Amino acid sequence: MEAGGDGAHLADLVVFGGTGDLSMRKLLPALFHADRDGRLAPQTRVIALSRGALSDDDFRDKVRAGVRPGLYPDDADGWERFLERLHHVAVDVGDPGHDGWGSMRRLLAGRDEIDRVFYLASPPMTFGPFCRALDTAGLVTPRSRVVLEKPLGRDLAGAQQINAEVGAIFDEHRVFRIDHYLGKETVQNLLVLRFANAFLEPIWNSLWIDHVQITAAESVGTPGRRGYYDHAGALRDMVQNHLLQLLCMVAMEPPARNDRESIRDEKVKVLQSLRPITGGEASRFTVRGQYVAGEVDDEPVPGYLDEPDKTPPTEASRRVETFTAIRAEIKNWRWAGVPFYLRTGKRLPDRRSEIVVQFKDVPHSIFPGGGPNRLVLRLQPSEGIDLHIMAKEPGAGEIVLRPVPLKLSFADTFRARVPEAYERLLMDVLSGNPTLFMRRDEVEAAWRWIDPIIAAWEASEALPEHYMAGTTGPSAAHELLARSGRAWHEEDNA
Ligand code: BG6
């Protein structure tokens, strides 16, 4: 059902954990931006669920204080109109007899014919029980969808169980598993770059490409997140989802169509072609690190074990990786012999996510110096694409080569606001477009590759190698590439 401006879908968006951190930092600002751009239908509502006894007005006050600062300070009217869309219902999801279910039924009454989206911004073990509770309360209509935040389980068996529990209530086409990296502008642009331009595809293979690097570096640490992070670690938190999704986008075959299944079909084939890393191979092809005290942005910061938190560190804290680097291989014709290096970590010198495609060197050089071309897809900060080519330094003497980037900045070129990933994905959820969401078989294929790595790490006595906060990670991460004469792409060797 449509209402409002172009493509503005009328919906009720019900957010479990609606007063929590994700809602305040990402979901509500994204919805406000969409509202300003006229992409929410006038009668679209956002209903936050939590245990707290908040009235609609209390919740709006909380949002006013927590979300408003910095968002269009000049648009007070737009902001107040947005707040009118917000509601809050206190409900105890574990208690089917709780009054909150009655309040929900009353609030949603008469709106069964419009789209209803249940967004589960809560830990994965709650997904199955939440779906059952919604069903028992009679709130799941034929037009209902459910959005699951990552992580989806801690391993393949856990993910399969969650998928089965959710699948018992919602058909697969109504399950939206979110990976916010897929909503990032550069990731979308990667598809366009590859499949709407003719020049790259002929050289997008092992004949021309030496290797690929995918980095998601963060300068933040994990204060206050020990409860989650001790049991996740960088591999589950970032690689199983975000980094593998980026790898799929780089490596997949051209899909036949830009539709909901074709792209996901191609991505799942990539995941299934990843060479397993098992047992003793883990120590050759993977690296684990944990940060100790150091300096980030000239400020002293504590090590992982000393991060402020309500729970003290345990043995699990000592063993968890805040950094990982992996040499992955895709066993198919296009990518045979091309390593894909994945790297992510907390408390690195800066926040930088990028994909670097390094081409092979020229087959025969007639100039001294020189080096291979690199295509750098910058996800953040400053989204854009750089193609590093060899150029001649100006001068009348000898020819001296220097790599120079041809730079495309999306913000400068299009002079438009680059939307946050969540904004794009929320609009897709509201309109029912699942293309940028992970299908059940994709998530399970990703875990199938991750599980043996986790098993090898758990079987090992070794602890993660320490790295000082503010440095680029443990020395083993550099050796992982140095062994084959390669090096990570850093700002200073760009
Ligand atoms: C989340 C992880 O999925 O992604 C966080 O749970 C991480 O640990 C975050 O900080 C990074 O997202 P972005 O968009 O800031 O790179």
Side-chain angles (χ1 to χ4, degrees), residues 67-90:
V67 178
R68 172 79 204 276
L71 283 185
Y72 300 102
D74 53 333
D75 188 8
D77 291 350
W79 176 251
E80 289 305 314
R81 271 197 307 278
F82 173 69
L83 288 183
E84 288 298 307
R85 297 177 180 279
L86 307 187
H87 300 265
H88 180 269
V89 177

Side-chain angles (χ1 to χ4, degrees), residues 369-413:
N373 299 126
R374 274 178 172 177
L375 180 68
V376 181
L377 301 137
R378 285 179 281 117
L379 273 63
Q380 57 201 24
S382 52
E383 295 88 340
I385 299 173
D386 301 342
L387 178 62
H388 295 251
I389 58 162
M390 280 297 146
K392 175 189 169 301
E393 267 190 20
E398 288 286 294
I399 288 188
V400 178
L401 300 188
R402 200 151 55 97
V404 286
L406 300 176
K407 278 183 176 281
L408 168 68
S409 148
F410 297 144
D412 293 350
T413 306

Side-chain angles (χ1 to χ4, degrees), residues 22 25-26 149-151 179-181 184 216-218 220-222 225 228-229 232-234 236-238 241-242 344 346 351-353 379-380 420-422:
L22 182 78
R25 273 191 314 114
K26 299 285 185 188
E149 259 297 333
K150 62 154 271 277
D179 184 316
H180 77 277
Y181 266 57
K184 290 186 189 274
E218 297 183 274
V220 293
T222 54
R225 291 184 82 194
Y228 162 70
Y229 204 84
R236 292 184 175 98
D237 186 45
M238 296 291 287
N241 33 75
H242 306 324
T344 184
K346 305 279 185 201
R351 178 174 187 242
R352 188 161 57 90
S353 296
L379 273 63
Q380 57 201 24
E420 274 266 339
Y422 272 98

